[in-house]
């Protein structure tokens, strides 16, 4: 539920192995003003999915970001490699 996300750090939503990549993503966003990355996210029930995050700094200093579930694409790419 959305209310469970309020006040949580974005990095809390990532798999522990992705925390370093998440930190790098936030650093790039802060320094370059825009960033794109894909992360493996785990829900509290254990379900995992791949999420893409594309964000940019607005002219007034705020940030806008878009998240997309890219699990199906990532699985299809993996199937093609196998």
């Amino acid at each position: 539920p959305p209310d469970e996300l309020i006040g949580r750090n974005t990095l809390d939503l990532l798999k522990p192995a992705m925390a370093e990549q998440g930190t790098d993503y936030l650093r790039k966003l802060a320094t370059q003003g825009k960033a794109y990355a894909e992360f493996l996210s785990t829900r509290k029930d254990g379900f995992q999915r791949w999420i893409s995050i594309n964000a940019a700094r607005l002219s007034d200093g705020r940030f806008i970001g878009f998240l997309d579930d890219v699990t199906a694409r990532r699985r299809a790419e993996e199937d093609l490699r196998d």
Side-chain angles (χ1 to χ4, degrees):
D3 61 322
E4 292 180 8
L5 300 175
I6 295 172
R8 296 207 39 208
N9 183 307
T10 304
L11 297 177
D12 292 341
L13 306 176
L14 302 178
K15 224 179 136 96
M18 294 277 173
E20 185 176 339
Q21 183 184 357
T23 300
D24 291 344
Y25 171 83
L26 293 174
R27 186 176 296 115
K28 181 178 179 181
L29 181 59
T31 59
Q32 297 181 14
K34 62 181 178 178
Y36 175 87
E38 294 182 3
F39 300 100
L40 186 59
S41 175
T42 305
R43 295 190 323 205
K44 69 179 184 177
D45 65 2
F47 179 80
Q48 294 184 336
R49 63 179 157 200
W50 283 95
I51 303 294
S52 71
I53 305 174
N54 196 1
R57 184 182 310 121
L58 300 174
S59 60
D60 64 2
R62 294 180 300 150
F63 291 90
I64 186 167
F66 300 92
L67 280 71
D68 190 27
D69 185 336
V70 294
T71 305
R73 192 204 77 221
R74 294 284 296 233
R75 287 184 180 156
E77 290 172 350
E78 186 175 317
D79 288 346
L80 288 173
R81 284 191 295 273
D82 292 341

